[in-house]
Amino acid sequence: MSGDHQSLALLLFSAFVAVTLGITTWVSRHRHGSAEEFYTGGRLFSPMENGFAIAGDYMSAASFLGISGLIALFGYDGMLYSVGFLVAWLVVLLLVAELVRNCGRFTLADVVAARMRERPVRIAAGTSSVAVSVLYLVAQMVGAGSLVALLLGGTSEAARAWTVIGVGALMIVYVTLGGMRATTWIQIVKAVLLMAGTLVLTVLVLLRFHGDFDALLTTAAERSGHGKEFLAPGLAYGGGWTARFDFMSLGLALVLGTAGLPHILSRFYTVPTARAARRSVVWAIGLIGGFYLMTIVLGFGAAALVGTDEVRASSAAGNTAVPLLALDLGGGAGSTGGTVLFAVVAAVAFATILAVVAGITLASSASVAHDLYASLKRPGRGRKPRGEVAVARLAAAGIGGVAIALGLLARDLNVAFLVGLAFAVAASANLPVLLYSLFWRNFTTRGAVWSVYGGLVPAVLLVVFSPVVSGSPEAIFPGVDFHVFPLQNPGLVSIPLGFLAGWLGTVLSRERADEARHAESEVRSLTGAGAV
């Protein structure tokens, strides 16, 4: 890329960083150090503000860079991510949002612990939340590295590594200084920027084809090298029974995973009432729905205007399809319009990554402090919220370090694919225990613990022994082969195991469910009586 691309994109990105650091600094001067302020921003956000923040949290680098790249490479099959990510919100709206807001306080474990023995449940749920969050963070780090590689010419591995480290350092600053209030406003600003940038690119793509979507698809199919197969199912997931099961596994993980993501669940606590939580989700669905429809246009637009071969040459995983599309739409390499549009898209993508990693880091650090620290280090004693907040800030730094290290290892994988793995783990470990706790009267503490570990451990092990880690040219360790699980996404196996383990743990448990606490929890979840 030319020096103009680099300087303008870095200038716009620096402006966003300056604004968000200003927000963080301003918020840090007005904080009073309480756990409620740090974890939930004082529960003062309106449904519209929280809806924009949820959308900002959810529309990640996987959405903006990864999905469009997969559509540019695989056509119809790439759209599975757009459809899955959107449909998942119906599960959240109908089954989770209002009930979680009424039952919990800060984290997923609060909902489960309302009717169980706290210590084992908090340790299990906290461990699971951190595992999911770290996987999700890795995807954002990979997106950051891919973007900077393109910006700086695609040759400097050192530049990619330092970018991942820089993004990690910034997210730690956002979380430790500003907490939920600063993170929310950063996500709102980012959501507005991302929607505006995506809308501009979508309009330009459609104008290039005079509003004829059929012409766009036909051209994309011709330039993909696959012809009509590009517009039909099976290009990515039609190569045999393994690919078909992978397709089902991924779809199941995407649809069920959102309701178990810790950073999404924590957003329901930032509004004052359950009704506000439900309205937040309605706002979020509107924004997210429009965004994912536009990613379909961008993906096929990249295939049609840039070409599938060019996209793959720039990034084998397709992560740079949207920036390359912006360059073409603006007039091509060396043109003023191309330079400006490329720079804007690069800056928006950076903003996307920074905002999402801040939200995930905050949710995972809350799990460490509120669940793990309080259970392991201070059993049987009263909690000190200020002490928890200090631990949460330290945890943010530790989790950021782990995510940076894993992000450097996984730098050649598609970011949407990596997020699919995080969704599978969330759907396997968090969703079963959440649904059982809310809807099963006889659910016990043993059932809750078994449900979490019965989904988490198989999901992580299946990923480790899958072609994602070894045994394929695209694997994290391509030079070795210890994979024994044929599928790339573990959801088809691990999600049923999570539900099965929760049922087995309950029926084999000697303890009886506390009917009084269940009745209290049920009334609270449905009516909001006694909710924080």
Side-chain angles (χ1 to χ4, degrees), residues 95-115:
L95 297 179
V96 173
E98 189 172 354
L99 303 182
V100 165
R101 174 61 188 84
N102 283 337
C103 279
R105 190 178 177 212
F106 300 135
T107 65
L108 164 70
D110 288 334
V111 179
V112 185
R115 48 175 295 210

Side-chain angles (χ1 to χ4, degrees), residues 15-29 174 182 186:
F16 176 81
V17 171
V19 170
T20 52
L21 284 176
I23 293 172
T24 303
T25 304
W26 178 79
V27 168
S28 67
R29 290 177 178 174
Y174 290 147
I186 290 168

Side-chain angles (χ1 to χ4, degrees), residues 67-69 71-73 220 230 294-304 322 325:
I67 294 177
S68 299
I71 294 174
L73 296 180
F230 191 69
M294 290 188 286
T295 61
I296 296 174
V297 176
L298 297 187
F300 284 113
V322 173
L325 174 64

Side-chain angles (χ1 to χ4, degrees), residues 113-365:
R115 48 175 295 210
M116 309 289 177
R117 285 186 286 118
E118 283 203 34
R119 192 165 186 251
V121 165
R122 287 193 180 279
I123 292 172
T127 301
S128 170
S129 294
V130 172
V132 172
S133 298
V134 168
L135 270 175
Y136 210 111
L137 280 172
V138 169
Q140 312 310 314
M141 299 298 187
V142 171
S146 296
L147 199 62
V148 167
L150 178 64
L151 186 63
L152 300 181
T155 58
S156 176
E157 288 296 322
R160 293 176 70 177
W162 280 110
T163 301
V164 170
I165 294 170
V167 169
L170 278 171
M171 78 181 181
I172 293 168
V173 171
Y174 290 147
V175 172
T176 55
L177 289 182
M180 179 59 85
R181 193 184 295 269
T183 299
T184 299
W185 282 111
I186 290 168
Q187 287 161 345
I188 291 171
V189 172
K190 167 256 173 152
V192 172
L193 289 175
L194 184 60
M195 289 295 292
T198 308
L199 181 61
V200 168
L201 290 180
T202 302
V203 170
L204 289 176
V205 169
L206 293 176
L207 285 176
R208 183 71 68 90
F209 291 92
H210 308 290
D212 189 344
F213 194 70
D214 184 60
L216 167 63
L217 295 179
T218 302
T219 307
E222 291 171 354
R223 295 206 60 189
S224 69
H226 298 287
K228 293 182 179 179
E229 292 180 2
F230 191 69
L231 305 178
L235 196 58
Y237 298 104
W241 68 268
T242 302
R244 295 174 190 275
F245 278 120
D246 243 332
F247 181 87
M248 291 187 285
S249 188
L250 176 63
L252 195 63
L254 295 182
V255 171
L256 298 179
T258 300
L261 291 176
H263 66 291
I264 297 298
L265 294 175
S266 66
R267 292 238 55 93
F268 301 139
Y269 302 126
T270 62
V271 289
T273 65
R275 183 169 181 265
R278 186 173 65 250
R279 290 174 60 197
S280 297
V281 175
V282 173
W283 272 99
I285 287 176
L287 293 167
I288 293 167
F291 173 77
Y292 283 124
L293 287 175
M294 290 188 286
T295 61
I296 296 174
V297 176
L298 297 187
F300 284 113
L305 299 176
V306 179
T308 298
D309 291 340
E310 286 78 3
V311 171
R312 186 175 283 109
S314 174
S315 169
N319 293 331
T320 56
V322 173
L324 291 174
L325 174 64
L327 189 62
D328 185 276
L329 290 171
S335 67
T336 302
T339 298
V340 171
L341 202 54
F342 174 89
V344 169
V345 168
V348 169
F350 272 127
T352 295
I353 292 164
L354 284 176
V356 172
V357 296
I360 302 166
T361 305
L362 178 60
S364 54
S365 64

